[in-house]
Amino acid sequence: MLITKNQENRLDVILEQQEKVVSMWLDYWKDFSGFDTVPFWVITSMLVVPLVIIYFKIDRTKAFQIGFYGFNIHTWFTYSDAIAMRTGHVYYPFQVIPVLPVNFALDASLVPVTFMLVYQWCINNNKNVFLYGVLTCVFFAFLFKPVMNAWDYIQLGNGMNFFYLFLNYLGILIMAIVITRIFLYFEKHPKKAGKTD
């Protein structure tokens, strides 16, 4: 057995505390973010409206490429958001789904869909994806997030500021572009498994 008794005891304590925290979040959500609150519906609109827009606006001839890029944005943004929340650098006083450790509306819809639409516009109009991606990062970090902060939809702690949020967006943008380009390269240069050039 790899797990020692001491490790098992400490895991039990962590899991017990985790259950308490989830219960506290559920109670908090009922009191401040439930169906009968304005923030619930504002955040729900940030989840639903972008998904409706992308359904009608996505270039279906490039849907896989655009979707893959957007999924990269979604994945990396969700990871970074979860880390920021767990370390107390970012927190969201209002939630749509209280048991998720991130702002689901932003991570799964609003942010990736915005980046997807910018990406689509760039590849369809032969524009620089990185340049317009940076402008999108500027929009989110220095305009959208400060407005959310002023309205208490996001709070920053432990030294976090909007410039650091910008750097985070920039890092995510770079990773999404690089990974998408690698897979596009693989698609254009197929190599059969087990054979070398």
Side-chain angles (χ1 to χ4, degrees):
M1 184 172 179
L2 293 176
I3 297 179
T4 64
K5 191 65 178 170
N6 180 41
Q7 182 180 359
E8 188 176 353
N9 290 339
R10 290 182 63 183
L11 276 172
D12 288 342
V13 170
I14 291 170
L15 292 173
E16 184 180 313
Q17 292 301 315
Q18 189 171 302
E19 286 178 16
K20 288 180 183 175
V21 169
V22 169
S23 178
M24 289 169 63
W25 271 114
L26 287 170
D27 290 340
Y28 174 87
W29 180 85
K30 289 174 192 170
D31 291 339
F32 303 106
S33 292
F35 302 115
D36 59 341
T37 65
V38 171
F40 175 86
W41 294 106
V42 170
I43 297 170
T44 298
S45 69
M46 287 193 283
L47 174 64
V48 174
V49 171
L51 296 176
V52 172
I53 290 170
I54 198 69
Y55 177 81
F56 288 107
K57 293 294 184 183
I58 194 167
D59 181 343
R60 293 176 189 238
T61 65
K62 298 180 180 102
F64 183 79
Q65 177 184 349
I66 296 163
F68 184 80
Y69 173 79
F71 188 73
N72 263 282
I73 295 287
H74 156 70
T75 301
W76 295 115
F77 190 65
T78 300
Y79 289 159
S80 70
D81 212 16
I83 292 167
M85 285 192 66
R86 184 162 275 190
T87 57
H89 289 89
V90 172
Y91 59 98
Y92 300 95
F94 305 102
Q95 295 280 357
V96 171
I97 303 172
V99 294
L100 290 177
V102 295
N103 187 311
F104 187 67
L106 292 179
D107 297 354
S109 182
L110 183 65
V111 171
V113 166
T114 303
F115 275 95
M116 287 167 71
L117 291 172
V118 170
Y119 181 83
Q120 174 175 289
W121 181 81
C122 288
I123 62 175
N124 284 344
N125 293 284
N126 200 26
K127 301 294 183 182
N128 186 309
V129 171
F130 180 72
L131 172 63
Y132 286 93
V134 169
L135 293 175
T136 307
C137 294
V138 168
F139 165 76
F140 275 114
F142 297 118
L143 184 64
F144 184 74
K145 288 292 177 83
V147 169
M148 283 188 68
N149 181 252
W151 292 346
D152 290 329
Y153 284 93
I154 184 175
Q155 296 296 321
L156 308 179
N158 290 338
M160 179 59 74
N161 61 46
F162 297 113
F163 180 70
Y164 292 154
L165 289 179
F166 169 73
L167 294 179
N168 182 59
Y169 277 106
L170 189 60
I172 290 168
L173 171 71
I174 292 168
M175 285 189 290
I177 290 172
V178 168
I179 292 169
T180 302
R181 287 188 177 168
I182 288 170
F183 277 82
L184 284 172
Y185 176 84
F186 290 161
E187 185 179 47
K188 290 177 184 174
H189 301 87
K191 185 167 81 169
K192 294 194 176 177
K195 293 190 176 181
T196 57
D197 292 333

